[in-house]
Amino acid sequence: MIKVSDLTVKLGGQTILNDIELEIPHGHWTCLVGPNGAGKTTFLKALLGVREYSGSLQDNGVEVFRNHKRNVAFVPQHPEIPRGMTVAEYVALGRSKIEGWGNESAESRSFIEEVLIQTQLYGMHQRHVSQLSGGEMQRALIARALAQEPQLILLDEPTSALDLHHQISVLNNIEILKSRGVTVISTMHDITLAAMYAERIVVMHDGKVLLDGAASDVIHSTELRTAFDNRISVYTLDSGRPVIVAAKDEFEN
Amino acid sequence: MNEKKQASIGQIWNWKITFACALFLVLVSILAISFGPIHLGFIDIVKTLIGMDGLHGQDRTVLLDLRLPRMLLAALVGCALATSGAVYQTVFRNPLADPYLLGAASGAGLGATIAITNSGGDIYGLLPIFSFLGATLAVLTSFFISGKFFAEPNTLLLSGIAVGSFATAVQTYLQQRHSNALRPVYNWILGELTVANWSIVSWSSIYILSSIAVLISISKKLDGLLLSDEESFSLGIDPNRLRLIAVAAATLATATAVSASGLIGFVGIVVPHLVRGVTHRVTNRSLATIALAGAAFLVLADLGARSVLSPAELPIGVITAFVGAPFFLFVLRSRRVTHS
């Protein structure tokens, strides 16, 4: 269990995260939702250890999130794309944490190949990452995270700007990670997709947690509507699956 | 099946290329010490170097006191500039970064000018020390002014440009006041290896080789700096600490190279891109190869500088630009073709 208590992050005099209290179970997929500026990405960065924070972020009672040895994979929304680096090299960077930089063993290389096949990047592995489309690049990022064999993976908007086909393919790859016992924490704008894949949903608004609970409960909650200023409508399909769409403003009706 | 798969991904860096570069450096070095107004035979050179009965008298002096220190200095300076250039390009994620970027060149130029224009020239012998101090001070000032350190690499670059311009302005003022110093300052700016002697080779080798050793030891990790800071952190790197070590070592190597041989341009940009262009690899695992290629490039350029107008000499900076620029453009063009 990752226990977050009194987590506060201030940046340039502005409070980005305010007294967050949260418990995140291991081996599950927890998704942070909320409008832009709610503090979702900052929360991920505090978990990664790159943001100064006050309060505590503990894993099984130990303060861990400034510990370099911890194997946490991070999939950013806007990655820096190294010019001239091939997909195979890019994915191989994921092995650095486990094997040390530049020390890929023969087993590692065959593991990287498996990952490339799994993420449907095999065949384009000699291409430069700068030549990949948005969906392919996202798969390359996931492939690098798979190669990292992390205990915890943090994903910042893994499906934004992807077409439906690529969204499903990326989310399925994340599910593979989860099936291996990896704890998944992501942010996601598409709440319908979040409800489909994540077990737990955390609703954030203005640097605070409004609600945290099982996906099915959160979706129908008033807190979710509050976070989005009542501008969302929730429908339930015949299959029982919830669908969240933006509601039109009153005056437009 | 597994074996077949492994072969298709292969090694990220092929060390045979490094070995080939080392071999090329040895060949070029032998060529450089045997050619000149006085031709020295290969067998005699080897015999003299391993302590057997080889060259005598004037030939021996030419080999041991002139050509050998000069060749070694060229190799050291080439190695320092090429490696520092490659490291700066990675640290600032900018393919146009060169070792003089943070004001090292202008700072060294100012230091050298102060030494040259000093009344009576009695501190001329301290020129290397002055230019070394100038380069180091300029880079430190750039860091100090930028304040945010590496949080904003672009701020650091801009403060480097500002410090460089200031140092150049002071240098120009001093030159105008001491017009007799114009020529020696100009010669120094174009770079010269004619001053090479064992004393310069020995002190510069200490700084350059130890800086290069540090840079090569962190070379594999430097690939992490090609990613965003969050990504490199998640892969086990402290990006700011790594940048600090990299820039400190690269600056020490550059300041030493500049103080030993003046400003030799183009090596820091051409050689790294050449190695990356030919091998189609951007990984910093190539750093040792870039170091060897830089050494070979400058030894060859110095041979050219000595030979083209023999017995007169061209400034080596002229050769590096004259040969380097077209070759560089050729590589850039062929890379663009393969990329598109």
Side-chain angles (χ1 to χ4, degrees):
Chain A
M1 182 80 79
I2 297 170
K3 199 168 180 318
V4 181
S5 22
D6 291 340
L7 179 73
T8 299
V9 173
K10 292 185 177 173
L11 260 176
Q14 219 185 339
T15 305
I16 311 289
L17 292 179
N18 197 356
D19 272 344
I20 305 262
E21 301 278 339
L22 203 59
E23 286 188 347
I24 300 169
H26 280 307
H28 286 79
W29 185 336
T30 303
C31 188
L32 312 172
V33 302
N36 289 333
K40 305 184 296 286
T41 302
T42 306
F43 182 74
L44 290 188
K45 287 184 179 174
L47 275 175
L48 180 61
V50 293
R51 275 277 175 277
E52 293 284 340
Y53 59 81
S54 61
S56 76
L57 283 171
Q58 295 187 337
D59 194 353
N60 290 326
V62 190
E63 190 73 23
V64 282
F65 289 97
R66 312 228 55 189
N67 182 354
H68 252 300
K69 292 201 176 75
R70 209 182 142 78
N71 196 348
V72 183
F74 181 65
V75 176
Q77 187 180 2
H78 304 292
E80 186 79 36
I81 298 171
R83 278 167 51 91
M85 191 179 274
T86 64
V87 174
E89 287 174 82
Y90 191 72
V91 174
L93 290 178
R95 300 302 291 170
S96 314
K97 189 92 180 193
I98 292 181
E99 301 210 314
W101 282 80
N103 297 331
E104 305 88 21
S105 59
E107 293 81 45
S108 251
R109 282 202 296 278
S110 69
F111 183 69
I112 291 163
E113 289 220 354
E114 278 170 32
V115 167
L116 286 168
I117 292 166
Q118 195 179 324
T119 48
Q120 293 142 24
L121 289 168
Y122 195 76
M124 57 175 92
H125 59 279
Q126 292 302 348
R127 271 167 61 184
H128 288 158
V129 277
S130 52
Q131 294 171 312
L132 298 182
S133 71
E136 290 162 351
M137 185 63 214
Q138 200 63 23
R139 290 212 305 269
L141 277 165
I142 302 284
R144 195 181 69 196
L146 284 164
Q148 194 173 338
E149 297 189 273
Q151 300 151 311
L152 168 66
I153 179 168
L154 309 171
L155 305 111
D156 196 5
E157 300 294 347
T159 55
S160 69
L162 297 187
D163 61 40
L164 270 176
H165 170 76
H166 281 107
Q167 285 184 1
I168 301 300
S169 141
V170 163
L171 292 168
N172 286 344
N173 278 311
I174 301 171
E175 283 227 302
I176 294 172
L177 266 168
K178 200 186 73 180
S179 69
R180 292 177 186 163
V182 178
T183 308
V184 180
I185 304 175
S186 71
T187 68
M188 231 189 271
H189 271 306
D190 191 327
I191 309 169
T192 306
L193 275 180
M196 268 174 69
Y197 283 87
E199 285 108 338
R200 296 182 72 82
I201 291 187
V202 176
V203 183
M204 292 183 73
H205 184 62
D206 267 352
K208 292 191 172 190
V209 170
L210 290 190
L211 185 66
D212 147 45
S216 50
D217 298 337
V218 172
I219 289 301
H220 299 285
S221 68
T222 49
E223 284 88 345
L224 184 65
R225 287 173 214 276
T226 312
F228 288 94
D229 296 333
N230 290 314
R231 284 178 168 176
I232 55 169
S233 301
V234 182
Y235 299 98
T236 308
L237 300 180
D238 291 343
S239 62
R241 180 177 291 169
V243 177
I244 295 101
V245 292
K248 272 190 164 181
D249 281 336
E250 288 290 316
F251 62 87
E252 284 180 30
N253 289 331
Chain B
M1 181 69 190
N2 237 0
E3 275 181 22
K4 206 176 167 188
K5 274 193 203 165
Q6 278 176 27
S8 66
I9 277 204
Q11 296 282 352
I12 288 174
W13 182 255
N14 187 348
W15 291 100
K16 282 181 191 160
I17 301 170
T18 314
F19 181 72
C21 254
L23 206 63
F24 182 63
L25 174 61
V26 172
L27 286 177
V28 166
S29 305
I30 293 172
L31 207 65
I33 44 179
S34 61
F35 271 89
I38 297 173
H39 180 74
L40 305 175
F42 171 67
I43 307 280
D44 289 336
I45 290 173
V46 174
K47 273 185 177 172
T48 314
L49 291 182
I50 58 173
M52 285 170 64
D53 187 33
L55 299 166
H56 296 282
Q58 191 194 5
D59 286 359
R60 191 180 170 83
T61 312
V62 167
L63 172 70
L64 294 181
D65 291 341
L66 294 176
R67 290 201 194 151
L68 201 54
R70 182 165 175 160
M71 182 277 289
L72 288 173
L73 188 64
L76 281 168
V77 169
C79 161
L81 294 177
T83 316
S84 308
V87 167
Y88 271 46
Q89 284 146 25
T90 298
V91 166
F92 293 103
R93 295 190 199 122
N94 186 341
L96 293 176
D98 84 348
Y100 304 137
L101 196 70
L102 296 180
S106 328
L110 177 59
T113 308
I114 291 172
I116 292 168
T117 55
N118 173 262
S119 55
D122 53 345
I123 60 167
Y124 192 89
L126 297 178
L127 191 147
I129 295 173
F130 270 66
S131 58
F132 180 80
L133 286 177
T136 321
L137 272 177
V139 175
L140 285 177
T141 314
S142 302
F143 268 101
F144 183 68
I145 292 178
S146 77
K148 286 189 172 171
F149 198 42
F150 280 117
E152 294 280 345
N154 285 338
T155 316
L156 184 55
L157 286 186
L158 289 173
S159 73
I161 291 171
V163 169
S165 306
F166 182 79
T168 307
V170 178
Q171 182 191 330
T172 312
Y173 169 76
L174 286 176
Q175 282 174 21
Q176 294 302 321
R177 279 197 53 177
H178 305 271
S179 53
N180 59 333
L182 272 174
R183 193 181 164 80
V185 170
Y186 180 68
N187 274 345
W188 185 83
I189 283 173
L190 284 175
E192 53 179 6
L193 290 163
T194 45
V195 292
N197 58 46
W198 283 108
S199 147
I200 294 182
V201 168
S202 54
W203 65 254
S204 61
S205 66
I206 294 171
Y207 293 127
I208 291 177
L209 293 180
S210 49
S211 308
I212 302 289
V214 168
L215 291 174
I216 289 176
S217 74
I218 59 168
S219 63
K220 291 173 176 175
K221 280 191 177 179
L222 286 173
D223 282 355
L225 296 181
L226 297 169
L227 306 173
S228 69
D229 282 6
E230 288 84 12
E231 293 171 273
S232 56
F233 189 88
S234 85
L235 292 171
I237 278 178
D238 182 343
N240 280 345
R241 191 166 159 264
L242 189 61
R243 284 192 194 106
L244 182 65
I245 297 171
V247 169
T251 301
L252 181 61
T254 305
T256 311
V258 169
S259 55
S261 63
L263 299 179
I264 300 175
F266 235 59
V267 184
I269 291 190
V270 171
V271 176
H273 284 297
L274 208 58
V275 172
R276 293 181 191 132
V278 168
T279 60
H280 296 286
R281 285 284 184 268
V282 286
T283 173
N284 284 284
R285 291 175 209 195
S286 61
L287 216 54
T289 315
I290 289 175
L292 292 166
F297 179 78
L298 213 60
V299 169
L300 210 55
D302 185 47
L303 181 61
R306 290 191 284 123
S307 316
V308 173
L309 295 180
S310 181
E313 286 198 17
L314 266 179
I316 189 166
V318 173
I319 298 283
T320 55
F322 189 79
V323 180
F327 198 34
F328 182 47
L329 289 175
F330 170 73
V331 171
L332 273 186
R333 181 149 180 81
S334 57
R335 263 180 91 182
R336 205 171 57 204
V337 170
T338 49
H339 281 197
S340 57

